Amino acid sequence: MKPFTTIESVAAFIDEDAIDTDIIFPARFLLLLDKAGLAKHAFHERRHAPALKQPFILDRAPFTAAEILVARKNFGTGSSREQAVWCLADFGIRCIIAESFGEIFFANCFKNGVLPIVKSGDELKEIREAAGEEQKIEIDLVDRTIRFQDGRVMAFEVDDYRRDALLNGLDEIGSILRDDGDDIVRFEERQRGRSPWLHLDPQKLSTFADLGKEKILD
């Protein structure tokens, strides 16, 4: 997973509440399990609706290269599908700022290198205005700040464990191996001594199984 420290980008603002995971990644694409290439299916109905008066925000320059997505209330609610985060990450989105998130979607963001930030009221309004003016916004995870082009600085909250994982590009397995790797090694060493058959080479197990069959046949 790519480490997240600081990004600077225009922000694409989707002026809509309750964007659920089916809007982000429609159910008919769920058979696609490879993370690469999912970006083309992100917001499929919003991007391909026949009555569109203008292209969807992520299909309009300069937002085609946006790394920051800004939304309103209840972003990512509904189904727990992790592909909703995968397709956004594949598009290049590294940070999502919204008034509130679906709980599972919020957790999945951290597991896939995407930083979700909760902002509301006047602060969210400032971010939306900057997005509408196509200003670049800097997200600094090291300092936990949002910086605007005019020099304004806004703090945001993220818990220490998740922040550390993003800074180091670690998913849950990576964090466990880093923090508990020594304990895992010691456990396996004890287990190897107590239950050596659990650690036999598969080829040897196959040989033992064949010998067992021969004894039974005899």
Side-chain angles (χ1 to χ4, degrees), residues 10-112:
V10 292
F13 172 48
I14 303 177
D15 191 6
E16 187 177 348
D17 286 330
I19 296 176
D20 62 30
T21 53
D22 194 56
I23 293 174
I24 299 169
F25 191 81
R28 65 181 177 278
F29 300 118
L30 288 176
L31 292 177
L32 303 173
L33 300 178
D34 191 345
K35 294 181 180 181
L38 294 185
K40 63 184 177 184
H41 303 300
F43 299 102
H44 188 274
E45 310 307 334
R46 297 293 189 273
R47 298 168 80 178
H48 300 285
L52 276 179
K53 295 181 179 179
Q54 61 177 340
F56 183 67
I57 184 70
L58 293 177
D59 293 323
R60 304 200 306 260
F63 305 111
T64 52
E67 295 183 70
I68 303 168
L69 191 64
V70 183
R72 299 176 69 91
K73 295 179 182 177
N74 300 325
F75 188 84
T77 55
S79 166
S80 61
R81 68 194 66 168
E82 197 168 7
Q83 288 94 332
V85 178
W86 292 356
C87 71
L88 295 178
D90 189 54
F91 184 88
I93 300 297
R94 301 298 313 280
C95 176
I96 304 171
I97 305 172
E99 190 168 343
S100 56
F101 291 88
E103 184 178 352
I104 296 175
F105 178 90
F106 185 82
N108 283 339
C109 282
F110 290 101
K111 297 174 184 178
N112 292 279

Side-chain angles (χ1 to χ4, degrees), residues 10-214:
V10 292
F13 172 48
I14 303 177
D15 191 6
E16 187 177 348
D17 286 330
I19 296 176
D20 62 30
T21 53
D22 194 56
I23 293 174
I24 299 169
F25 191 81
R28 65 181 177 278
F29 300 118
L30 288 176
L31 292 177
L32 303 173
L33 300 178
D34 191 345
K35 294 181 180 181
L38 294 185
K40 63 184 177 184
H41 303 300
F43 299 102
H44 188 274
E45 310 307 334
R46 297 293 189 273
R47 298 168 80 178
H48 300 285
L52 276 179
K53 295 181 179 179
Q54 61 177 340
F56 183 67
I57 184 70
L58 293 177
D59 293 323
R60 304 200 306 260
F63 305 111
T64 52
E67 295 183 70
I68 303 168
L69 191 64
V70 183
R72 299 176 69 91
K73 295 179 182 177
N74 300 325
F75 188 84
T77 55
S79 166
S80 61
R81 68 194 66 168
E82 197 168 7
Q83 288 94 332
V85 178
W86 292 356
C87 71
L88 295 178
D90 189 54
F91 184 88
I93 300 297
R94 301 298 313 280
C95 176
I96 304 171
I97 305 172
E99 190 168 343
S100 56
F101 291 88
E103 184 178 352
I104 296 175
F105 178 90
F106 185 82
N108 283 339
C109 282
F110 290 101
K111 297 174 184 178
N112 292 279
V114 178
L115 171 64
I117 297 176
V118 175
K119 283 294 175 188
S120 59
D122 290 339
E123 289 188 321
L124 184 58
K125 182 181 178 182
E126 288 181 55
I127 296 168
R128 292 203 314 258
E129 289 174 350
E133 295 169 3
E134 299 182 8
Q135 295 181 22
K136 285 192 173 183
I137 298 172
E138 182 183 79
I139 309 295
D140 189 333
L141 183 57
V142 178
D143 294 335
R144 302 183 218 214
T145 56
I146 301 170
R147 294 190 181 91
F148 299 88
Q149 285 187 348
D150 61 7
R152 285 173 296 153
V153 179
M154 182 186 297
F156 66 85
E157 296 181 2
V158 57
D159 72 70
D160 292 338
Y161 177 81
R162 285 169 162 167
R163 172 178 173 270
D164 178 71
L166 281 177
L167 286 172
N168 290 282
L170 299 173
D171 57 14
E172 285 183 315
I173 294 175
S175 296
I176 290 171
L177 290 176
R178 184 196 62 178
D179 298 336
D180 303 304
D182 291 342
D183 290 336
I184 293 171
V185 170
R186 283 193 289 270
F187 167 80
E188 289 181 340
E189 288 175 348
R190 290 196 303 270
Q191 188 188 60
R192 190 173 284 107
R194 296 170 181 171
S195 308
W197 58 88
L198 295 176
H199 297 269
L200 288 174
D201 183 273
Q203 190 172 1
K204 292 182 179 179
L205 283 174
S206 177
T207 301
F208 288 146
D210 291 340
L211 289 173
K213 288 179 183 177
E214 289 177 4

